[in-house]
Amino acid sequence: MIKKAFIFDLDGVVVDTAKFHFVAWQNLASSLDINFTEEENEQLKGVSRVRSLEKILEWGNKKIDKETFEQKLIQKNEEYLKMVETLDQKDILPGVYDFLIHLKKQDQPIALGSASKNARPILKKLGILNMFDAIVDGTDVSKAKPDPEVFLNACKLLNMPSENAIVFEDSIAGIQAANIAGMISIGLGEEKNLSEADEVFRSFLDMPADYQHQLLNKTK
Ligand code: B16
Ligand code: MG
């Protein structure tokens, strides 16, 4: 049977943690007298924690010293992790669990490729940590998407060539990273935002019934 490397982004693909990031960033912004909107939160999807705080400070035209910066990062993450505690299997985005189960039955290699440093505890809360043969997260990479480092590392860990990889992503930067690496890019979200992807679906439930089979034969 043909084998492909199936690589999943976390936030926005497997689970919707963007709403938790939003609450935590909003509280942090208000502690600095910065107004932070949902539209701005959209722009932080797939962006690292450090870079996110830098952007919020830029938007709010505020400067803080290094020590306060570090404190604010810790404060944000602690609040975020409290919300992550409430997650369970019900929070896996529609269709993802069945998609993973089907891949497992076909013995297809599965990896996570995420910017989050909290990827492992989140997957554990969702009860699907052991479904991933490899995990590359924000603790493993030095270059952020659209740099393809995260997905190339995932292929290395799976022992698969990058031309055999299929990436599922909700962010533009993530789709670009997959394309740069010559991987098949599948966008999850709105066509108008993800037009650079090879194909776009609103959710895993919108994929055709034989989609995994189609992907096994698909080339870039
Ligand atoms: P953490 P993804 C990204 O996850 C989120 O989309 C982004 O909003 C967040 O800032 C980033 O992870 C870092 O997360 O603070 O948990 O390290 O979409 O790459 O799975
Ligand atoms: Mg994402």
Side-chain angles (χ1 to χ4, degrees):
M1 187 185 214
I2 308 166
K3 292 272 155 115
K4 298 271 179 173
F6 286 83
I7 308 176
F8 296 80
D9 173 53
L10 181 62
D11 178 27
V13 171
V14 172
V15 63
D16 176 19
T17 40
K19 55 186 182 218
F20 299 157
H21 284 297
F22 180 51
V23 172
W25 282 132
Q26 201 170 39
N27 289 341
L28 181 138
S30 92
S31 77
L32 292 167
D33 271 325
I34 297 173
N35 182 39
F36 177 64
T37 65
E38 214 156 347
E39 288 70 43
E40 285 164 340
N41 191 57
E42 275 302 303
Q43 296 179 50
L44 300 184
K45 284 189 174 172
V47 176
S48 75
R49 202 180 308 162
V50 170
R51 188 68 199 119
S52 298
L53 182 51
E54 286 170 356
K55 277 176 173 265
I56 291 170
L57 292 169
E58 279 163 29
W59 292 328
N61 224 343
K62 281 260 150 67
K63 284 204 161 54
I64 55 178
D65 60 49
K66 210 169 171 292
E67 201 182 317
T68 315
F69 189 95
E70 292 304 324
Q71 271 170 7
K72 292 286 172 194
L73 282 183
I74 293 170
Q75 183 188 321
K76 186 268 171 180
N77 198 48
E78 281 174 354
E79 195 183 352
Y80 174 70
L81 285 177
K82 272 191 204 140
M83 292 181 270
V84 162
E85 270 304 301
T86 67
L87 289 174
D88 66 22
Q89 206 153 64
K90 291 191 299 300
D91 295 294
I92 299 173
L93 285 171
V96 173
Y97 188 76
D98 288 347
F99 196 90
L100 288 170
I101 290 279
H102 196 254
L103 287 178
K104 277 272 147 215
K105 283 193 187 141
Q106 307 293 316
D107 209 19
Q108 292 292 338
I110 304 175
L112 190 89
S114 164
S116 173
K117 293 186 172 175
N118 297 304
R120 281 181 179 80
I122 292 172
L123 290 177
K124 208 166 169 198
K125 290 296 296 176
L126 299 174
I128 52 173
L129 180 61
N130 58 8
M131 290 177 116
F132 291 82
D133 303 300
I135 291 178
V136 183
D137 65 13
T139 62
D140 304 306
V141 289
S142 52
K143 293 178 223 129
K145 301 168 189 175
D147 189 286
E149 183 186 15
V150 58
F151 299 141
L152 292 171
N153 283 358
C155 280
K156 259 185 226 148
L157 288 177
L158 292 175
N159 228 340
M160 293 286 290
S162 52
E163 60 267 28
N164 283 11
I166 300 162
V167 172
F168 300 89
E169 254 292 348
D170 70 315
S171 73
I172 301 163
I175 293 294
Q176 289 169 339
N179 289 342
I180 290 168
M183 301 171 175
I184 292 173
S185 54
I186 311 293
L188 272 305
E190 295 203 32
E191 174 73 51
K192 66 171 167 44
N193 300 330
L194 302 171
S195 56
E196 292 176 46
D198 292 318
E199 282 188 85
V200 182
F201 297 96
R202 291 194 73 92
S203 94
F204 281 78
L205 294 180
D206 296 309
M207 294 171 183
D210 68 338
Y211 194 55
Q212 285 192 6
H213 183 76
Q214 287 182 31
L215 285 175
L216 292 183
N217 297 300
K218 196 172 166 72
T219 45
K220 186 85 177 166

